[in-house]
Amino acid sequence: STPSPQIRWNQKAMSDTAWPAAKVRSTFIEFFQGKKEEGGAGDGHTYWPSCGVVPFDDPTLLFINAGMNQFKPIFMGTVDPKSPLAPLKRACNSQKCIRAGGKHNDLDDVGKDVYHHTFFEMLGNWSFASYFKKEAIAWSWELLTVVYGLEPDRLYATYCEGDQHKGGTVASDEETKELWLQFLPPERVLKGNMKDNFWEMGETGPCGPCTELHYDRIGGRDAAHLVNMDDPNVLEIWNLVFIQMFRNKDQSLTMLPGKHVDTGMGMERITSILQGKMSNYDTDIFTPIFDAISAKTGVRAYTGKVGKDDSDGIDMAYRVVADHIRTLTIAITDGALPGNDGRNYVIRRILRRGVRYARQYLFPAGKEYEAGFFAGLSSQVVELLGDAFPELKANPGTGMTPEKVAQIVLEEELSFLKTLDRGISQFEKFAATDKASGVISGAHAFMLYDTFGFPVDLTLLMAEEKGMTVDKDGYEECMERQRARSRGEAKEGEVVLVLEAEQTDHLANALKVAPSEDASKYDWKAAGTGPKPTATLKAIWDGKAFVEKAEEGQFVGLVFDRTNFYAEAGGQLFDSGRVTTADGSVVAVQNVQKFGAYILHTGQLGAGAMKVGDEVELDVDYERRAQIAANHTSTHLLNWALRKVLAGHMIDQRGSIVAPDKLRFDFSYGKPMTTAEVSQVQDLVRELISGGYDIQKQEVALAAAKQIKSLRAVFGEVYPDPVRVVSVGPAAHTIAQLLADPENEQWNRLSVEFCGGTHMDNTKEASTFTVIGEEGTAKGVRRLVCLTKDAGRAAIDAALEFAKRVERAGELTDMAALDEEISKMRMDIDTTVMDYVRKDNMKGAIDKLKEKVLAAEKEMLKAKVEAAVAWAQGLDVAGKAGGGEGGGRGGG
């Protein structure tokens, strides 16, 4: 039955003791579990657990940012009939959401006010072609006013006004308006525009109007003019989306046969209202974390101040740290890790932003920041949310436990702390230097990132605190130069340090430096982690002379007694990373080369000084190396696949480049490969990658290794003795077995090569493999350019998107418009990085479209000719008729 709008509001209900967060959540879920189909038939809403915040199967998202994400296949009509989702009619849950990075990004605002979060819960209920507007609206009113006991005269509802009054196709949602008028007076049922009150999944797909419920924290007034005006006291608490239409490619709308409901209510917001708090951060969702912060640091209690009122910055730091540790604990448990790319970089930014605030504001004078402070707070998050989300206590899908999560946060915390103080000190110097312009230069911002690990948004924040800005364009230019160096592309004018024979002789005989020992370069995990060993600095080369000491800002080459950095060799690019002394002096390593017996690490000294004899920590960028390793092992797989597909031809390697962003392989072959041959090679490599085969790596005697059947060596290459053998493939084996039975025919199923490079541990780490180019480089030499991991997937996705464009072009009936689009597609397809095989097929499809245009033009021309002939014949007939009359008159 529909509840009466005249509900007496229970003032006593508004307290944190009456409505603890756990009760708010469970009440919502239990309410909808009890809501059945009209007439009471069937079960109530199915409780469907929150999915993880890391959307491994949805490349369009950095993080899950809404409750409906996991139900997209149902809304799109693509759900597998065998999927557990397929029979679902009604569902409810509290979904874990993160909005940091990408289109939905609240990271930079967290801490500055009392309502932004990077992690939040979305309470939601869904109908999949079951109930619709009438039930959704009635139940939302019942839950808020009867069950939660909110005062009805503080509630406002909006509905979609449509866009027909602006010449659009969406009508005003009068049905929703009339339904709300059963509960609310007309002055509190408000029109909303398309931006606020019309939801769309994308450029095409399911869509529909939505209605929002807003709550006035103050009460006793008319707050209609404050709805959707970003007033912190008149806030949206619930959004009900009515998915009833489908947006077509031509932007027209079609009504859906099955209508769905998708709602989302902010857990933190409704909890603050039920607990009678003016801020989400004042609820028991956050206060236990604040208590833990205060206990650990001895800092004053949280007072909820913002802006100028928060003169010491402590309240902002409380909010930042509490929010960020929630996000980190949730995200890492669900499979995200601090890193340098994509969502992993967002996680690193969040952690470093939190550590910086804690270090700078939460430790009173005289009390040092303790490493592990941040990591130690993660247990509080597990305690608060572990019952609602049991995976926080142990996530079988990712293998994460609370202990592992805390350890990952601790390692990242320790890494950043090593350079944080020096980075802050360096920032102060840069700020003083750039004060006159009011802009931190791009070069200075880049050095803070490259040397001290400061994400640029952290530099932006610190600059903002001083009333300054950052030259983002200049920063991006420096980043692009760094990316070019990472790819092995030296720019004109850049300093490149080398050791000639004179210098290596000086190292050996004058300075008595022993050859560099680099065996530890193989001691790492191809997933992107590894140790940070110590070494002794034996020599410093400034490009002109060996010096005893290097000063801040100097570009130098460093020689150590031992190193775990890979020096460029065999087509594989060098490692990058950092070298740090005990007192925090840092060199960002930009290049590593081997000259004779010595390995030279070159880079700029960011701060402090280094001198010969210093003990240093060697910190390789293992994530970049993992990208290189995936490309290197895939080069071996490509070499093997080429010999299989092009059997009967002498396929010899003629060179290769293995970079973090791509691999390039040159080989002997007298003609261009056909698209079919490229496709076969690509398929073979993908089969090996998906097979998940372990890579075998071992150093053995050269003479014995040369006897292994199917061994491939680079023509003209001189190999060391002993030599490192790298093998992989579907035939089960070890290197010892290869040596013991070198003639075994099974070894033909393997890629076996001599190689001193760094490789994956298992082929699955490459994720995918995509050929993006086939070309000739010299007479009898062909080249394939290929991608793996995320870059490979992006190239496939780019091809799929372009295929949709070709398909849309084929639907055009205006031949002039089609011809124009064909010209554009022919230009764009050559400049878009995409799957080579699909690209070639699409070029054929575009050619067929051009034939269609030419045929239409031919028909048009034919029609014009026929019309002209008919017209001429008409004139001829008329002329003959007129000529007969005239002749008669003349004869008369």
Side-chain angles (χ1 to χ4, degrees):
S1 62
T2 302
S4 167
Q6 280 75 41
I7 305 289
R8 288 187 63 80
W9 183 52
N10 184 359
Q11 181 74 45
K12 294 179 181 177
M14 300 310 207
S15 73
D16 47 2
T17 54
W19 285 106
K23 182 180 176 182
V24 175
R25 185 189 301 110
S26 63
T27 297
F28 180 93
I29 292 167
E30 290 164 8
F31 175 82
F32 281 103
Q33 283 179 315
K35 290 301 177 185
K36 303 180 180 182
E37 286 187 274
E38 191 170 350
D43 297 325
H45 287 59
T46 300
Y47 172 69
W48 198 265
S50 168
C51 63
V53 295
V54 179
F56 293 109
D57 57 349
D58 190 342
T60 66
L61 289 175
L62 275 176
F63 298 102
I64 293 294
N65 56 33
M68 57 74 60
N69 288 150
Q70 66 175 323
F71 301 119
K72 278 171 73 172
I74 300 179
F75 294 130
M76 295 294 288
T78 60
V79 65
D80 187 331
K82 297 178 181 178
S83 165
L85 288 171
L88 210 55
K89 293 297 181 184
R90 296 171 300 286
C92 62
N93 73 9
S94 181
Q95 172 64 49
K96 299 176 293 185
C97 299
I98 290 178
R99 288 186 179 172
K103 180 181 176 182
H104 302 286
N105 181 17
D106 290 339
L107 176 57
D108 294 338
D109 294 317
V110 169
K112 296 177 182 178
D113 53 41
V114 293
Y115 50 87
H116 274 101
H117 310 289
T118 52
F119 167 76
F120 62 96
E121 293 181 57
M122 186 72 82
L123 299 168
N125 62 287
W126 294 270
S127 162
F128 308 111
S130 175
Y131 59 84
F132 202 44
K133 295 179 182 179
K134 178 182 176 183
E135 295 84 353
I137 287 172
W139 289 341
S140 65
W141 181 261
E142 181 184 352
L143 176 63
L144 291 178
T145 61
V146 178
V147 179
Y148 282 152
L150 298 191
E151 191 172 15
D153 62 11
R154 294 190 184 207
L155 290 169
Y156 297 78
T158 63
Y159 67 95
C160 182
E161 68 175 353
D163 61 4
Q164 284 185 343
H165 61 291
K166 296 181 179 179
T169 56
V170 179
S172 174
D173 188 4
E174 294 297 311
E175 180 185 2
T176 294
K177 174 185 175 182
E178 291 304 317
L179 287 168
W180 276 124
L181 288 173
Q182 297 177 36
F183 305 102
L184 290 166
E187 63 269 20
R188 285 194 278 123
V189 180
L190 312 173
K191 284 193 296 187
N193 58 32
M194 291 286 287
K195 176 177 176 291
D196 292 327
N197 285 89
F198 193 84
W199 174 88
E200 302 201 45
M201 186 175 286
E203 289 185 10
T204 62
C207 57
C210 61
T211 178
E212 299 170 335
L213 279 157
H214 296 254
Y215 180 82
D216 178 16
R217 290 187 190 273
I218 306 298
R221 58 177 181 166
D222 179 6
H225 65 289
L226 297 175
V227 168
N228 274 328
M229 297 302 292
D230 292 326
D231 188 303
N233 293 318
V234 180
L235 64 162
E236 177 193 340
I237 55 173
W238 206 346
N239 189 8
L240 286 63
V241 179
F242 303 126
I243 303 173
Q244 62 190 62
M245 306 170 188
F246 192 94
R247 178 75 72 180
N248 300 302
K249 291 178 181 178
D250 62 0
Q251 295 302 293
S252 65
L253 291 169
T254 305
M255 297 303 290
L256 290 171
K259 297 175 174 59
H260 311 299
V261 174
D262 162 28
T263 88
M265 176 158 60
M267 165 72 179
E268 292 75 13
R269 288 188 179 184
I270 190 63
T271 300
S272 72
I273 291 169
L274 291 175
Q275 293 184 5
K277 307 296 184 184
M278 299 299 284
S279 157
N280 300 350
Y281 287 98
D282 292 328
T283 67
D284 66 343
I285 293 172
F286 289 95
T287 52
I289 303 177
F290 290 167
D291 292 343
I293 291 170
S294 181
K296 285 174 177 285
T297 64
V299 72
R300 67 158 173 82
Y302 176 72
T303 59
K305 294 176 180 175
V306 296
K308 293 179 180 178
D309 293 334
D310 183 27
S311 57
D312 54 12
I314 290 174
D315 284 346
M316 181 174 178
Y318 263 114
R319 291 188 290 269
V320 167
V321 170
D323 171 88
H324 289 8
I325 194 59
R326 277 165 40 97
T327 301
L328 292 166
T329 305
I330 293 287
I332 294 172
T333 298
D334 285 349
L337 294 170
N340 289 336
D341 297 297
R343 69 172 62 96
N344 291 347
Y345 183 58
V346 174
I347 294 302
R348 174 164 284 167
R349 285 170 56 197
I350 291 171
L351 195 150
R352 294 187 173 186
R353 187 174 189 261
V355 170
R356 182 255 169 170
Y357 267 98
R359 170 69 180 79
Q360 201 154 342
Y361 295 105
L362 291 179
F363 282 76
K367 185 164 184 179
E368 288 294 317
Y369 182 97
E370 297 176 9
F373 159 76
F374 212 72
L377 293 172
S378 63
S379 61
Q380 190 70 46
V381 179
V382 176
E383 185 177 330
L384 289 168
L385 294 175
D387 291 337
F389 307 110
E391 61 273 19
L392 285 171
K393 298 176 181 178
N395 190 329
T398 61
M400 285 294 173
T401 63
E403 294 75 23
K404 287 182 180 178
V405 171
Q407 184 61 34
I408 289 168
V409 175
L410 175 61
E411 290 172 2
E412 185 73 11
E413 187 180 357
L414 286 168
S415 174
F416 186 46
L417 284 172
K418 287 178 181 175
T419 58
L420 177 59
D421 285 342
R422 276 195 172 273
I424 291 173
S425 173
Q426 190 65 49
F427 171 82
E428 294 295 339
K429 293 179 183 177
F430 289 157
T433 302
D434 299 335
K435 186 175 182 179
S437 66
V439 180
I440 302 293
S441 73
H444 286 162
F446 176 74
M447 183 177 285
L448 287 167
Y449 162 78
D450 194 39
T451 305
F452 301 102
F454 276 35
V456 69
D457 54 303
L458 180 55
T459 302
L460 284 164
L461 193 65
M462 294 169 69
E464 184 182 311
E465 291 170 358
K466 289 186 173 293
M468 301 178 73
T469 59
V470 174
D471 177 7
K472 291 184 182 179
D473 291 340
Y475 169 82
E476 283 300 326
E477 287 177 16
C478 293
M479 278 296 294
E480 182 50 43
R481 284 197 292 271
Q482 170 76 320
R483 294 186 191 106
R485 284 194 295 267
S486 179
R487 296 190 296 264
E489 303 167 4
K491 298 291 184 181
E492 185 178 348
E494 285 190 344
V495 178
V496 178
L497 298 182
V498 298
L499 296 176
E500 304 289 358
E502 179 184 353
Q503 284 86 48
T504 56
D505 179 73
H506 186 79
L507 281 169
N509 298 314
L511 300 180
K512 305 298 182 185
V513 176
S516 303
E517 199 284 306
D518 67 344
S520 62
K521 67 189 177 191
Y522 298 127
D523 180 18
W524 73 299
K525 296 294 182 185
T529 61
K532 300 176 184 178
T534 58
T536 303
L537 180 55
K538 307 299 288 187
I540 301 172
W541 172 246
D542 68 2
K544 297 179 180 178
F546 287 103
V547 296
E548 284 296 308
K549 187 177 182 181
E551 301 287 354
E552 183 177 315
Q554 230 178 320
F555 193 82
V556 291
L558 309 176
V559 177
F560 305 106
D561 59 340
R562 63 179 65 87
T563 184
N564 60 336
F565 280 78
Y566 181 86
E568 184 170 330
Q572 177 178 327
L573 293 190
F574 48 81
D575 278 339
S576 62
R578 291 190 180 92
V579 173
T580 310
T581 63
D583 66 359
S585 298
V586 184
V587 167
V589 177
Q590 300 173 2
N591 202 329
V592 186
Q593 299 290 333
K594 190 168 187 178
F595 300 102
Y598 301 103
I599 295 174
L600 190 71
H601 310 67
T602 58
Q604 190 170 25
L605 184 57
M610 281 191 186
K611 60 183 183 302
V612 173
D614 278 350
E615 289 293 311
V616 300
E617 180 183 80
L618 304 175
D619 184 5
V620 169
D621 183 346
Y622 289 112
E623 292 173 34
R624 176 177 175 275
R625 185 194 278 184
Q627 298 280 354
I628 293 173
N631 287 337
H632 199 155
T633 306
S634 296
T635 302
H636 287 211
L637 304 180
L638 174 61
N639 193 359
W640 177 85
L642 282 166
R643 298 200 315 275
K644 295 297 179 187
V645 173
L646 305 179
H649 300 271
M650 286 296 294
I651 306 299
D652 283 316
Q653 183 174 339
R654 286 289 185 259
S656 68
I657 292 293
V658 181
D661 61 327
K662 66 176 180 288
L663 66 94
R664 198 179 77 196
F665 188 76
D666 296 349
F667 57 98
S668 57
Y669 191 54
K671 57 184 178 180
M673 290 180 70
T674 65
T675 304
E677 288 169 339
V678 174
S679 182
Q680 290 174 48
V681 167
Q682 184 168 260
D683 288 345
L684 280 175
V685 176
R686 287 177 177 173
E687 286 174 17
L688 290 170
I689 287 171
S690 63
Y693 302 112
D694 288 338
I695 290 88
Q696 307 295 325
K697 298 158 276 192
Q698 187 178 328
E699 202 170 75
V700 300
L702 179 61
K706 283 183 175 180
Q707 305 308 311
I708 300 171
K709 197 175 189 70
S710 85
L711 170 74
R712 299 299 294 179
V714 179
F715 179 78
E717 186 83 12
V718 177
Y719 292 98
D721 190 7
V723 68
R724 196 162 185 261
V725 176
V726 176
S727 62
V728 62
H733 70 288
T734 63
I735 302 293
Q737 289 171 327
L738 298 183
L739 296 172
D741 187 13
E743 293 295 323
N744 193 321
E745 289 293 329
Q746 285 294 307
W747 305 158
N748 285 321
R749 300 171 64 203
L750 304 175
S751 161
V752 186
E753 296 195 28
F754 294 157
C755 185
T758 55
H759 286 271
M760 298 185 290
D761 295 325
N762 185 282
T763 56
K764 273 193 174 177
E765 290 160 13
S767 178
T768 190
F769 176 87
T770 308
V771 178
I772 60 167
E774 192 278 345
E775 61 187 1
T777 62
K779 184 175 176 59
V781 178
R782 305 302 298 177
R783 170 177 291 169
L784 290 178
V785 181
C786 316
L787 307 174
T788 64
K789 292 201 168 191
D790 290 345
R793 167 47 56 191
I796 294 171
D797 291 343
L800 294 174
E801 280 301 310
F802 208 96
K804 292 178 184 176
R805 181 178 171 185
V806 175
E807 184 183 345
R808 288 195 297 270
E811 296 171 357
L812 293 174
T813 55
D814 183 335
M815 290 300 107
L818 176 57
D819 201 29
E820 183 180 353
E821 176 62 1
I822 287 169
S823 298
K824 291 178 181 177
M825 289 193 298
R826 281 178 166 172
M827 289 178 61
D828 294 344
I829 199 167
D830 286 326
T831 57
T832 303
V833 175
M834 68 172 78
D835 182 321
Y836 175 85
V837 175
R838 286 186 169 95
K839 176 185 280 192
D840 195 69
N841 291 335
M842 278 187 281
K843 285 183 174 179
I846 293 170
D847 289 343
K848 280 190 168 60
L849 291 177
K850 185 65 177 178
E851 290 172 8
K852 179 180 175 181
V853 171
L854 293 173
E857 289 176 348
K858 188 175 180 181
E859 284 299 314
M860 192 182 299
L861 181 61
K862 180 181 176 183
K864 286 181 178 178
V865 169
E866 289 174 348
V869 169
W871 178 78
Q873 287 174 340
L875 284 179
D876 189 42
V877 170
K880 285 178 179 177
E885 284 181 18
R889 287 193 299 270

